[in-house]
Amino acid sequence: MMNSVKTYTLFTDHDVYLFKEGKHYKLYEKFGAHSVEKDGVKGVYFSVWAPNAKKVSVIGNFNNWNHNDHILFPRWDGSGIWEGFISGLTWGTLYKYAIENLGKILEKSDPYALSWEQNLQAASLVSTTWYEWDDAKWLEERWKKNSLKAPISVYEMHLASWMRNSNQPDVFLNYREIASKLIPYIQYMGFTHVEFMPVMEYPYDPSWGYQITGFFAATSRFGSPQDLMYLINELHKNDIGVILDWVSSHFPGDANGLHRFDGSYLYEPEDPRRGFHPDWKSYIFNYGRNEVKSFLISNAMFWLERYHADGLRVDAVTSMLHLDYSRNEGEWEPNIYGDNVNLEAKAFLQEFNTAVYKEFGDSIITIAEESSDFPLLTKPVHDGGVGFGMKWMMGWMHDTLDYFKLEPENRRHHHHKITFASMYMYNENYMMPLSHDEVVHGKASLIYKMTGDEWQKFANLRALYVYMFTNPGAKLLFMGDEFGQTGEWNFRKSLDWQLLDFPVHKGLQNLVKDLNHLYKNESAFYENQFTQNGFEWVEANDEENSVFIYLRKGKRRDDISMIILNLTPNTFDYKVGVNAGTHWDVVFNSDDKQYGGSGVETTIFKEENEEWMNRPKSIFLKLPPLAGIVLKMKKDKKYKLSRIKQHKK
């Protein structure tokens, strides 16, 4: 029977060279299914990497899934690429690759497909990422929004369970419906960015999107690639950045996915000590294989270029960097130096960061989800670092939640859990995360992690948020936490938006809204958030009262805010040391009634020229219970002049 495939290629010799060297970062322009024209006839060009295959054919709804009708040609250059042109095919055509090896035929979906079916067959679709974007203004100016000197407050969300139609609770909203509801909400709440848990195609809902099969495909659960682009485009037009979760750590063993793609261990190492993930029962990428590096870095570039993503949060970096991650003795193999660092994964991450920052400059940001103290993660690669823009501050998160679970009378014994983060806060560029991982698997919702009765729980959480939003570093809050979602996060249903009918939940939402706006509007909270000039303890050692006082400083000498946390349920008068010539206003109080608080008013009722807390002056104020208050230094010309004179001396 005559083969219905014609010879055709999009690959140049240089493309193949770069692919084999691990340096081709835009493979999506070559691999996959592309609408082209050959000899005046329209059709589709297919190309796939399967170096150990004996035969590769395209099967689909156009040939009754027949393995023998449309056989691709292997390239002559030893690259392992199979390719060819099939006339008459158009967008929407369903297809897979039938890959023959050792007498077996594997039916694999296309690793580079732009769309996948949403069913058990999960075939690939001939598709396109063509879209008429009109977010040019955002793209030109987004470097300002992603700057380390800008306020970055991220709303983390799972598209399937953020909100659903109350009349059809089992039906997902699509990307366009989400846009109409999400954008006004983010604007109202004051977040600067949204972070989407994986939008790449995944087969298994309980994986939340982290077990990806279609790395280049926007999940069709919520619509087409263009529908997702519409959502991102509209967010950009409304001044909201978009961070995507990106999974380069592992992939599932689904029969149509990357696992043993051509019958051999192609994308993963064969040795299970390196290639199999015991926790997630998934497969680890082979970071030492050049073609795999090209695949992964091309995938990162794809989401940044084609979908205009403003950043990638890289999932499970700890598991990538440590050969012994979640393994017992004897279940892992040391590197050539005898230790546990995965040198190939580290080199891959350095190359990934170098490549995307070279392509997009500081207009984008990469963020590592990393829970160990792996050194230099956010330092430049040329200085020996891994090159990330930011790292999740997991130690801060654990210590803070552990502290707020304690009964107030026991907090004096664990005072350092709050102060300890200041010892290392400038080691990396940190993002402070209260993420989805903290409200699942029996860990309880944030509000139910707090100790005490209902009033104390909400007061504690309000105080925690004041602490979080006024500390150095970017912020990340998972959906529902902003209004005190009471149940653990359930990926199968909408958040409990009806809780906002209760004043205490509405009050918490108002608090987060106002904290976002405070963070964005007061430069002292973000201008120096990653430099040592931005933070100073006033009182770090008052264990008996569980009181913490610190300053946040902007670039101007008179741009200073003071934060006082009273983490006991007691109301009392408190003496605070201040510098001479400074005057203060209380600008925020988490105990305010509009936030569901008890309404204890905080005013400065007395000033003394008496040295206190190693400062020449002191002020007296009433501290509300389980609350955080923010004071702003008034502009004082005399103070400013005296500081300038001191500086000149």
Side-chain angles (χ1 to χ4, degrees), residues 614-631:
N614 297 316
R615 291 162 201 271
K617 241 182 89 172
S618 51
I619 57 176
F620 292 78
L621 17 61
K622 186 180 290 294
L623 295 189
L626 287 174
I629 62 173
V630 179
L631 288 70

Side-chain angles (χ1 to χ4, degrees), residues 160-226:
S161 59
W162 175 65
M163 185 181 287
R164 297 192 183 178
N165 188 322
S166 54
N167 297 324
Q168 294 179 293
D170 296 328
V171 178
F172 300 135
L173 296 181
N174 63 40
Y175 292 118
R176 290 174 184 264
E177 290 169 329
I178 289 168
S180 69
K181 297 178 184 301
L182 179 63
I183 289 164
Y185 186 68
I186 296 297
Q187 288 179 315
Y188 171 74
M189 290 300 296
F191 290 97
T192 63
H193 295 66
V194 294
E195 179 179 318
F196 295 138
M197 293 167 68
V199 296
M200 303 80 187
E201 194 59 83
Y202 58 100
Y204 187 52
D205 282 347
S207 80
W208 312 331
Y210 291 101
Q211 299 252 359
I212 294 171
T213 45
F215 281 81
F216 289 82
T219 176
S220 53
R221 281 169 178 78
F222 317 113
S224 69
Q226 288 68 29

